[in-house]
Amino acid sequence: MRRLAPLILAAALLTGCAGQPDGGSMEDQLNALRQRPTLGEVTADYDRMQQELRERLVAELGLPEFSDKGNTGQSACTDFADVPGAEQRTLATWMQEGGIPDEKWERALQIATEVGSTRGFTELHVVTDRPGDHKIELHNSYGAKLQLGSAANTVLSVRTGCHLAVKG
């Protein structure tokens, strides 16, 4: 019996955790996702956020207009892999030729954090911060990520967190 106990414990741990990265049951994960906006709702909202951010960067910093470079995509969620209909989306990537001048970067960062905070993007991660090369990420509680980078060009992108494709 002494030798069997570790095997039983290991089997119980493996069975209890398999496919449940958040530690909860599939029903718990589904209920968590039901509390969030749908993928379509959040995508429309983040599109509006990107538009506001682009408009403010152009108007307040005198940047050239941004152009839509596409690069959209959709994928399953690793954190909710067992939940049918759980997806995340990459919105269109927006670019403007030329980087944000170093003397304007702090203001660009302030604009991005102001606009992003209206959608819960409050967790700031500085990826790169050196002369002529800046990149930040803002994350929200759903796992979404807003990126603003400036080097040779300025690039703005958003990836949603995990949401249900339709209300479930």
Side-chain angles (χ1 to χ4, degrees), residues 94-114:
W94 291 85
M95 188 187 88
Q96 66 87 203
E97 292 190 26
I100 298 171
D102 286 335
E103 64 272 9
K104 294 183 178 183
W105 176 251
E106 285 302 315
R107 181 63 184 137
L109 177 58
Q110 184 180 23
I111 293 168
T113 56
E114 286 173 8

Side-chain angles (χ1 to χ4, degrees), residues 59-103:
E60 295 177 35
L61 300 180
L63 299 179
E65 292 292 328
F66 283 77
S67 60
D68 182 345
K69 296 301 178 185
N71 300 327
T72 60
Q74 205 161 304
S75 64
C77 302
T78 56
D79 289 348
F80 297 90
D82 294 335
V83 179
E87 299 176 7
Q88 55 190 10
R89 183 174 291 162
T90 301
L91 294 121
T93 299
W94 291 85
M95 188 187 88
Q96 66 87 203
E97 292 190 26
I100 298 171
D102 286 335
E103 64 272 9

Side-chain angles (χ1 to χ4, degrees), residues 10-29:
L13 288 173
L14 287 173
T15 303
C17 296
Q20 308 302 332
D22 290 340
S25 69
M26 186 175 76
E27 189 62 31
D28 290 340
Q29 292 179 31

Side-chain angles (χ1 to χ4, degrees), residues 59-167:
E60 295 177 35
L61 300 180
L63 299 179
E65 292 292 328
F66 283 77
S67 60
D68 182 345
K69 296 301 178 185
N71 300 327
T72 60
Q74 205 161 304
S75 64
C77 302
T78 56
D79 289 348
F80 297 90
D82 294 335
V83 179
E87 299 176 7
Q88 55 190 10
R89 183 174 291 162
T90 301
L91 294 121
T93 299
W94 291 85
M95 188 187 88
Q96 66 87 203
E97 292 190 26
I100 298 171
D102 286 335
E103 64 272 9
K104 294 183 178 183
W105 176 251
E106 285 302 315
R107 181 63 184 137
L109 177 58
Q110 184 180 23
I111 293 168
T113 56
E114 286 173 8
V115 173
S117 69
T118 64
R119 291 355 188 259
F121 289 85
T122 57
E123 187 180 322
L124 174 65
H125 298 266
V126 177
V127 178
T128 307
D129 190 19
R130 57 182 173 251
D133 188 9
H134 306 278
K135 182 177 180 181
I136 57 111
E137 292 181 352
L138 292 166
H139 297 217
N140 72 10
S141 63
Y142 296 144
K145 180 170 44 177
L146 179 152
Q147 294 181 325
L148 176 64
S150 174
N153 296 308
T154 302
V155 178
L156 172 63
S157 65
V158 174
R159 181 166 184 82
T160 72
C162 192
H163 297 268
L164 292 173
V166 295
K167 281 286 184 202

